[in-house]
Amino acid sequence: MTGRAGIPWPWPLAAGMVVGVATGGPVGGAVGGAVGGAVGGALAWPLLVGAGVGLTAAIAVRGPVARAAWGALALGLVLGALRGHAFATAPDAWAGRAGEAIEVVARVADGVAWPMEPPGPGLLLRGAAPPGGVHLLQGSLVELPGRRNPGGFDARAHHGRHGITAALRVERSEPRAPPGFWPRARARLRLGVVAGLGAREAALMQALTLGWRDDLGPLRDAFAASGLAHVLALSGLHVGVLAGALTALAGGVGRARSLAVVAVLLAYLAVVGPSPAVVRATAMVSAALLGRAYGVGGAGWATHLALAGAATLAVRPGWLGDLGFQLSYLSVLGIGAAAGPLA
């Protein structure tokens, strides 16, 4: 993934994305306002810096490796600023509607409703929240609380990074048939996973394989009390085991077989839903498999990690401020850095 000529573009690209997303959103608002310019707001200064870096690289830097690295940094700055600004200024269908009664058809999972009809940001469920699945929900909107004390927890910002912008006090719910291909695929896969199992075993199997924790009930509290709640969360380990099993069943790594494994991993991601660890692992494994399949397999884990980070921030810029995203990448970086000397 560093290319045939050894061009280390993923790391400067990822660094540019981090800076661009951080400054293109609310963080860079004050700086952008001071700089001014035609773009205006938080976008002004990261775009200007990115354009300046790109121009400098094109004129002054000698050598293809250095030029590619500076160019990737400039691209990351500009793309990150655009994505960060788009995330920070995205319209919120629930803004200013606290107390209003609404009716939505939504996919419910882990106490959050993801509206499908009409579409909108996620809703944190309160009151008589239904179990996981697709439901018709009726209730009233509730504004999420912000930071109440300096340095305290900001629930509004925390949930906002994950696309949840309000709460819904549920007053009535009705189950609905899952519309669309992926919701139906998720429902069928759940039925296959729990076939032949008792209620307790089925709930645990769904949590361990699909990340579906709605049916755990008291078992979830028991895991939390014993300090093992993380066992119920999907992680990169699940993706690694699945990729390893698929590669072994496919009989090795070839172009067609690698594409098939990557397709299955992406389908698994679509079914279980995105989380920082699962997205990171899927991106890293996919980059490694495709790199080997297309003859650029000399890249190491660090290059795949940087590429995964850049791709993730391009799709989910709000995750930059999420502790789970940060720990996911920092833990892999620390493991990889320690593995070299230990080996």
Side-chain angles (χ1 to χ4, degrees):
M1 208 51 65
T2 55
R4 296 182 185 275
I7 298 174
W9 58 268
W11 274 106
L13 177 66
M17 287 290 297
V18 169
V19 175
V21 168
T23 55
V27 176
V31 180
V35 173
V39 179
L43 270 177
W45 84 270
L47 283 180
L48 290 175
V49 170
V53 169
L55 183 62
T56 300
I59 297 175
V61 177
R62 296 179 179 273
V65 174
R67 187 171 297 174
W70 281 100
L73 177 63
L75 176 63
L77 283 169
V78 174
L79 180 58
L82 292 171
R83 293 297 298 132
H85 182 73
F87 174 78
T89 59
D92 181 5
W94 317 127
R97 298 173 61 182
E100 180 180 334
I102 65 168
E103 179 179 286
V104 295
V105 176
R107 179 176 64 86
V108 176
D110 278 339
V112 178
W114 300 100
M116 306 167 72
E117 299 175 7
L123 293 166
L124 192 66
L125 296 181
R126 295 179 178 176
V134 178
H135 298 266
L136 171 67
L137 303 176
Q138 295 177 340
S140 56
L141 291 171
V142 179
E143 184 179 2
L144 292 174
R147 182 181 286 111
R148 297 176 179 176
N149 299 302
F153 177 66
D154 190 339
R156 186 183 306 144
H158 170 74
H159 292 297
R161 298 186 191 104
H162 297 270
I164 304 167
T165 60
L168 178 66
R169 183 173 287 110
V170 180
E171 300 169 358
R172 179 172 172 269
S173 65
E174 293 180 2
R176 291 292 177 90
F181 174 78
W182 290 115
R184 288 197 298 269
R186 185 182 295 110
R188 289 190 177 186
L189 188 58
R190 283 183 59 209
L191 292 176
V193 167
V194 304
L197 299 178
R200 184 183 178 92
E201 293 77 9
L204 186 59
M205 181 62 73
Q206 287 181 106
L208 293 175
T209 57
L210 302 178
W212 188 277
R213 299 182 288 270
D214 295 76
D215 300 336
L216 284 171
L219 192 60
R220 187 171 187 171
D221 297 332
F223 271 82
S226 61
L228 296 174
H230 62 280
V231 175
L232 301 176
L234 295 183
S235 65
L237 175 64
H238 295 75
V239 178
V241 170
L242 178 60
L246 291 173
T247 302
L249 290 174
V253 178
R255 181 168 296 186
R257 288 172 289 195
S258 295
L259 290 174
V261 172
V262 170
V264 174
L265 292 179
L266 293 176
Y268 179 72
L269 176 63
V271 167
V272 302
S275 68
V278 175
V279 172
R280 171 191 52 75
T282 301
M284 289 184 68
V285 173
S286 298
L289 289 173
L290 294 177
R292 291 184 180 181
Y294 286 89
V296 288
W301 64 268
T303 299
H304 297 144
L305 181 67
L307 187 61
T312 301
L313 289 178
V315 179
R316 295 288 182 115
W319 282 2
L320 180 61
D322 181 68
L323 185 61
F325 173 84
Q326 297 167 8
L327 291 177
S328 177
Y329 281 81
L330 289 175
S331 62
V332 174
L333 186 61
I335 293 172
L342 290 176

